C-alpha cells in the first residue's frame, strides 16, 4: 500500500502538479476504502475460506480493470514489445508480492487477529521499504532521518506483536498470524520497489495485467490448498466480498492512478498515515473488536517513525511542498 516513485510509469508521472482539492479528497477517500478493507475481510471470512477469499477479490478486481482497460483503448503489455520480457518479469513479481501473497497472508492472519491489528501493520510498509529501496534502487540511501524513522517503526512493530509473544511460540497460532500480517507488509514493500524499477508503461495497463496474473496465481493456489470453492449463502460475506473486489482492489487502483498522474507518487504515499487509523475505527466501532495491550504505543511509534522519515525527505526537498 505504499506508493513511491515508479520510475518507468509514463511521462505524466514526471509532470505532476501541486496537489489540489480533488487530490486531497481522493486521498481521504482512499484512506477510508483501504481502512475498511480489513473489516470487510473479517466479515467475508464468515463464509469464505482464507485463500479463496484472496482469489475471489482478485478475480473481481481483474475483470473490472480489464474492462476499464478495454473501454479506454489500452492494451496489455506485449511480450515482443521493447523490454516486453522485462515488463512481464516485473508483472510476475507485482502479482506475487503486491497481491497474491499479501492478500492470502492477511486473510489467513485475520482468522486469528482483529482487523484493526492487521490494518496497523500496514503502517510499517513504507518503513520496511527503506532498506530494500536503499539496496536495490539507484540513488536511494539510508539517511539519518530514514534510519531513525525505521528504528522507531521497527520497535513499534515489535510492540504490536507483543514482547511476551516473542518469548513464547504458543499453541493457538496467534503469533504465526501476527507474523503473517507483518509478512504481508513486507510483501507490499518488495512490491513497491519492484514497481518503481519497472520500465515505462501505462499504469492502467500494468495494473490490469498484474491483477490478471494475480487472479490466476491465487486461483491455482486456492485449488491446491483448499480444494474447490464453497460459495456462502449468507448475504454478509457475499456483500463483503463484493466490496473487497470492487473498491479496495479495482476502484482504488483507478483512483490512485488519478492521484499519481496529477499530484505525484510522493503525495500518494501520505495515505499510509490514514489506513491504520481507519482500520482501528472500523474494527472497534463496527465489529466491537477489543484492542490488544500495547496497541496504542505501537501505533504511536510506527506513525512517529513515518513522520520522521517524511520530515527528513521534505527537509531534503524530495516531496512536493504544500
Amino acid at each position: 500500500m505504499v506508493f513511491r516513485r515508479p520510475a518507468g510509469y509514463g511521462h505524466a508521472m514526471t509532470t505532476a502538479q501541486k496537489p489540489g482539492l480533488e487530490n486531497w479528497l481522493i486521498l481521504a477517500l482512499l484512506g477510508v476504502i483501504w481502512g475498511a478493507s480489513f473489516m470487510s475481510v473479517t466479515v467475508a471470512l464468515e463464509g469464505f475460506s482464507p485463500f479463496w477469499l484472496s482469489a475471489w477479490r482478485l478475480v473481481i478486481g481483474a475483470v473490472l480493470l480489464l474492462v476499464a482497460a478495454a473501454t479506454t483503448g489500452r492494451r496489455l503489455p506485449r511480450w515482443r514489445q521493447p523490454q516486453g520480457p522485462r515488463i512481464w518479469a516485473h508483472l510476475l513479481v507485482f502479482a506475487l508480492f503486491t497481491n497474491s501473497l499479501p492478500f492470502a497472508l492477511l486473510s489467513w492472519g485475520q482468522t486469528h487477529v482483529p482487523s484493526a491489528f492487521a490494518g496497523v501493520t500496514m503502517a510499517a510498509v513504507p518503513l520496511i521499504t527503506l532498506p530494500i529501496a536503499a539496496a536495490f534502487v539507484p540513488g536511494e540511501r539510508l539517511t539519518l532521518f530514514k534510519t531513525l524513522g525505521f528504528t522507531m517503526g521497527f520497535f513499534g512493530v515489535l510492540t504490536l506483536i507483543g514482547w511476551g509473544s516473542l518469548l513464547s511460540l504458543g499453541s493457538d497460532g496467534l503469533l504465526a498470524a501476527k507474523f503473517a500480517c507483518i509478512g504481508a507488509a513486507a510483501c507490499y514493500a518488495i512490491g513497491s520497489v519492484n514497481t518503481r524499477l519497472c520500465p515505462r508503461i501505462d499504469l492502467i495497463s500494468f495494473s490490469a495485467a498484474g491483477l490478471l496474473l494475480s487472479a490466476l496465481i491465487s486461483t491455482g493456489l486456492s485449488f491446491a490448498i483448499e480444494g474447490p470453492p464453497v460459495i456462502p449463502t449468507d448475504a454478509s460475506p457475499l456483500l463483503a466480498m463484493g466490496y473487497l473486489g470492487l473498491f479496495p482492489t479495482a476502484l482504488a487502483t483507478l483512483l490512485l492512478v488519478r492521484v499519481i498522474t496529477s499530484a505525484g507518487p510522493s503525495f500518494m504515499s501520505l495515505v499510509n498515515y490514514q489506513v491504520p487509523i481507519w482500520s482501528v475505527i472500523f474494527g472497534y466501532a463496527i465489529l466491537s473488536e477489543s484492542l490488544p495491550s500495547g496497541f496504542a504505543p505501537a501505533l504511536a511509534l510506527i506513525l512517529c517513525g513515518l513522520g520522521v522519515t517524511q520530515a527528513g525527505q521534505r527537509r531534503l526537498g524530495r516531496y512536493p511542498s504544500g
Side-chain angles (χ1 to χ4, degrees):
M1 288 189 192
V2 60
F3 299 95
R4 302 169 65 85
R5 178 183 294 274
Y9 258 10
H11 178 70
M13 297 296 294
T14 63
T15 58
Q17 303 298 315
K18 183 177 180 179
L21 177 61
E22 178 186 347
N23 299 127
W24 284 105
L25 291 175
I26 294 178
L27 193 76
L29 178 60
L30 284 172
V32 176
I33 288 175
W34 277 320
S37 67
F38 301 95
M39 172 191 68
S40 300
V41 166
T42 296
V43 175
L45 284 171
E46 296 175 1
F48 291 92
S49 58
F51 286 92
W52 274 112
L53 171 59
S54 172
W56 279 119
R57 67 179 291 189
L58 285 168
V59 169
I60 295 172
V63 169
L64 292 175
L65 276 187
L66 288 170
V67 171
T71 55
T72 54
R74 290 173 168 85
R75 301 179 60 180
L76 298 185
R78 290 171 294 175
W79 183 266
R80 294 185 178 180
Q81 74 182 67
Q83 301 196 68
R86 183 183 171 192
I87 290 173
W88 278 101
H90 280 281
L91 279 168
L92 179 59
V93 177
F94 174 87
L96 287 170
F97 289 97
T98 305
N99 293 305
S100 297
L101 288 178
F103 283 8
L105 288 170
L106 286 171
S107 295
W108 180 82
Q110 285 188 236
T111 61
H112 293 84
V113 301
S115 66
F117 178 95
V120 170
T121 60
M122 295 302 101
V125 174
L127 298 173
I128 299 174
T129 303
L130 294 178
I132 299 175
F136 294 101
V137 178
E140 286 286 343
R141 59 189 180 89
L142 282 176
T143 63
L144 176 62
F145 278 100
K146 288 181 179 181
T147 303
L148 179 59
F150 174 80
T151 303
M152 294 175 65
F154 177 76
F155 279 101
V157 169
L158 293 181
T159 303
L160 187 63
I161 293 173
W163 295 95
S165 298
L166 293 173
L167 300 177
S168 174
L169 293 179
S171 59
D172 59 357
L174 179 59
L175 182 60
K178 291 181 177 180
F179 274 109
C181 294
I182 300 299
C187 286
Y188 284 129
I190 295 171
S192 171
V193 174
N194 168 72
T195 299
R196 186 173 183 180
L197 295 173
C198 183
R200 185 178 298 252
I201 180 177
D202 177 79
L203 269 168
I204 294 181
S205 297
F206 184 89
S207 300
L211 279 183
L212 176 60
L213 276 180
S214 303
L216 293 173
I217 292 171
S218 292
T219 299
L221 186 64
S222 300
F223 266 112
I225 296 177
E226 298 177 338
V230 176
I231 306 299
T233 57
D234 294 340
S236 295
L238 291 172
L239 290 174
M241 172 60 71
Y243 173 84
L244 288 168
L246 176 60
F247 290 97
T249 307
L251 177 61
T253 300
L254 299 179
L255 291 177
L256 77 89
V257 170
R258 174 66 177 173
V259 173
I260 288 176
T261 54
S262 60
S266 298
F267 175 78
M268 186 67 228
S269 69
L270 296 177
V271 77
N272 292 289
Y273 290 92
Q274 304 177 51
V275 172
I277 296 173
W278 281 111
S279 72
V280 171
I281 291 174
F282 285 120
Y284 183 77
I286 297 179
L287 299 180
S288 300
E289 293 179 342
S290 59
L291 303 182
S293 60
F295 192 91
L299 178 59
L301 278 171
I302 292 173
L303 292 181
C304 284
L306 279 174
V308 169
T309 59
Q310 191 86 312
Q313 294 197 22
R314 286 184 181 277
R315 180 177 177 179
L316 295 173
R318 295 286 301 278
Y319 284 177
S321 59

